[in-house]
Amino acid sequence: MFRKHVVRLLGALAALTPWLVVQFPDIPWEALIPFSLALLGGAEVAQRVEDQKTVTALHKTPPTDKLAELHLRLAEYESTRRA
C-alpha cells in the first residue's frame, strides 16, 4: 500500500510542515530543515520512478496498433482471395 501512495503521503507531510511551525512556535524552524530536505529527496525519487514508468509505457506498442495491423492484413488477404 505504501508504494502505491508514496507521492500522496509525501505531499501530506509537506503540507504539515508549515502547520507544525504555526502550531508549535517553540520548535525552531532550523530543526525542520532536515525534515523538509528528506521530503524533497523522497519526492524526487518518487518522481523519477513515475517518469521511468511513463517512458516505459510510451515505448510499448499499444494493443490497438497490433489489432489494426492484423485487420489490415486480413483485409488484404480477403481482397486477394476474391480476385
Side-chain angles (χ1 to χ4, degrees):
M1 182 180 131
F2 176 73
R3 291 191 67 139
K4 289 184 178 181
H5 302 291
V6 69
V7 176
R8 291 179 183 164
L9 180 65
L10 290 173
L13 290 174
L16 284 176
T17 305
W19 179 80
L20 288 172
V21 174
V22 172
Q23 289 296 323
F24 303 103
D26 297 337
I27 296 176
W29 64 270
E30 295 89 359
L32 293 175
I33 291 176
F35 179 70
S36 298
L37 290 176
L39 286 175
L40 289 174
E44 178 67 23
V45 169
Q47 180 181 351
R48 288 181 186 201
V49 168
E50 292 300 319
D51 287 347
Q52 185 59 42
K53 287 197 279 187
T54 301
V55 167
T56 301
L58 287 174
H59 290 293
K60 288 184 179 176
T61 303
T64 54
D65 285 353
K66 290 178 184 177
L67 289 174
E69 180 184 339
L70 287 173
H71 181 70
L72 290 174
R73 290 193 343 203
L74 178 62
E76 182 181 316
Y77 171 75
E78 288 177 346
S79 68
T80 58
R81 198 166 165 219
R82 289 182 189 158

